[in-house]
């Protein structure tokens, strides 16, 4: 189930809820304090990396998620969110079950508004587990996206660190450069789209089953194979 999204900026006062709030609490607050219409002029690009940035107030994020680390929130306050997966609880997510609902934001949205999107759709206080997927631009991400997970039962937030975000950004940049080289060499667009679709399926399989593709062995569970699959693949690519 994929749900539509209404873009908004949020202005909260001391009566706002947190990530543990029920949908009725959030909706009551929004009825008293209507959000501003989303202003696309606030979207910008990082002057060095060219990464898309959609500012979100750090105060809003810390009010919504008081357990958000002060260092992490600085990076996630600028991160565009392109998808949120909604799970019943952390156990459902960790057991690799599919989410019961998803929200898709093709143009990207700030994290505070994406959190509200989620909480408006959860009827019970302290229920639900959401995984927010960030990105670096509006092109399809066939490599790993930055991830921020929020547990409504405890208020805990687990978000990729600055270093992990940068690692994923470089992977995305390299994949885009590879795509451009293929285009320059005359690889048909249809074939490039098929390769991208296959990579996306592989990424989804990793996320939903915990498996990774191991060269000369096929799909294996990374926690059961007994070695570093990534390192194994690097060696195989270098030495066969």
């Amino acid at each position: 189930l994929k749900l539509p999204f209404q873009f908004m900026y949020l202005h909260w006062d001391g009566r706002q809820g947190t990530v543990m709030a029920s949908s009725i609490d959030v909706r009551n607050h929004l009825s008293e304090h209507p959000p501003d219409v989303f202003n696309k002029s606030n979207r910008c690009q990082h002057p060095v990396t060219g990464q898309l940035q959609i500012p979100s107030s750090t105060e809003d994020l810390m009010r919504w998620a008081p357990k958000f680390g002060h260092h992490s929130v600085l990076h996630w306050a600028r991160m565009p969110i392109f998808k949120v997966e909604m799970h019943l609880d952390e156990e459902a997510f960790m057991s690799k079950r599919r989410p019961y609902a998803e929200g898709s934001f093709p143009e990207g949205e700030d994290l505070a508004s994406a959190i509200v999107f989620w909480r408006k759709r959860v009827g019970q206080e302290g229920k639900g587990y959401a995984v927010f997927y960030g990105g670096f631009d509006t092109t399809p991400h066939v490599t790993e996206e930055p991830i921020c997970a929020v547990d409504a039962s405890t208020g805990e937030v687990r978000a990729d660190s600055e270093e992990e975000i940068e690692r994923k950004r470089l992977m995305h940049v390299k994949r885009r450069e590879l795509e451009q080289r293929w285009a320059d060499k005359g690889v048909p667009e249809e074939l490039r789209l098929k390769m991208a679709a296959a990579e996306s399926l592989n990424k989804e399989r990793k996320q939903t089953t915990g498996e990774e593709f191991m060269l000369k062995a096929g799909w294996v569970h990374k926690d059961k194979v007994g070695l570093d699959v990534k390192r194994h693949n690097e060696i195989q690519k270098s030495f066969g």
Side-chain angles (χ1 to χ4, degrees):
L1 174 63
K2 291 191 176 182
L3 305 170
F5 181 70
Q6 179 180 1
F7 293 106
M8 61 182 72
Y9 268 133
L10 305 167
H11 298 284
W12 300 98
D13 58 24
R15 291 175 292 174
Q16 75 163 75
T18 68
V19 292
M20 304 171 76
S22 67
S23 59
I24 190 169
D25 290 335
V26 174
R27 291 178 185 276
N28 285 341
H29 179 86
L30 293 177
S31 67
E32 297 174 7
H33 306 277
D36 294 337
V37 175
F38 180 77
N39 183 353
K40 289 186 180 294
S41 66
N42 286 284
R43 301 163 69 91
C44 59
Q45 289 185 315
H46 190 282
V48 176
T49 66
Q51 175 184 342
L52 173 64
Q53 296 184 327
I54 304 180
S56 178
S57 167
T58 55
E59 291 184 1
D60 282 350
L61 285 177
M62 291 303 294
R63 289 193 188 112
W64 267 105
K67 295 184 180 181
F68 213 135
H70 284 80
H71 183 67
S72 294
V73 77
L74 295 176
H75 305 290
W76 282 92
R78 300 188 294 269
M79 177 69 68
I81 304 300
F82 293 97
K83 184 176 74 171
V84 56
E85 292 181 349
M86 304 175 214
H87 300 265
L88 293 176
D89 50 34
E90 183 179 15
E91 181 184 357
F93 170 71
M94 296 301 292
S95 61
K96 305 299 181 182
R97 299 176 203 164
R98 289 191 175 275
Y100 68 82
E102 293 183 2
S104 179
F105 322 129
E107 298 301 316
E109 184 49 56
D110 68 278
L111 180 56
S113 295
I115 288 174
V116 172
F117 174 88
W118 166 47
R119 295 316 300 171
K120 284 173 66 177
R121 290 158 176 80
V122 182
Q124 291 181 279
E125 181 179 339
K127 297 291 185 180
Y129 189 88
V131 182
F132 299 90
Y133 292 85
F136 308 103
D137 52 50
T138 56
T139 63
H141 285 53
V142 297
T143 55
E144 296 177 86
E145 307 103 318
I147 292 178
C148 175
V150 183
D151 189 344
S153 67
T154 62
E156 294 289 343
V157 178
R158 297 179 182 176
D160 281 350
S161 65
E162 178 184 8
E163 294 75 19
E164 182 67 359
I165 291 172
E166 178 62 10
R167 182 187 72 82
K168 292 180 176 181
R169 186 188 72 81
L170 293 176
M171 288 176 58
H172 177 66
V173 170
K174 289 179 180 179
R175 181 59 179 78
R176 287 189 61 187
E177 292 173 347
L178 179 61
E179 174 76 14
Q180 187 58 53
R181 287 199 297 272
W182 285 340
D184 293 342
K185 291 181 179 180
V187 177
E189 181 180 8
E190 182 180 359
L191 179 57
R192 300 201 310 271
L193 290 173
K194 287 182 178 179
M195 289 189 288
E199 290 180 74
S200 294
L201 287 174
N202 288 344
K203 180 182 67 174
E204 182 178 354
R205 182 166 180 172
K206 289 181 183 179
Q207 293 172 343
T208 57
T209 68
E211 294 181 327
E212 292 191 25
F213 189 81
M214 182 174 173
L215 291 175
K216 297 188 176 181
W219 286 98
V220 297
H221 198 288
K222 62 182 180 180
D223 296 330
K224 298 179 180 179
V225 71
L227 53 80
D228 186 331
V229 176
K230 181 179 179 181
R231 179 58 179 160
H232 167 85
N233 289 343
E234 290 175 351
I235 293 173
Q236 292 299 319
K237 289 177 181 178
S238 299
F239 304 105

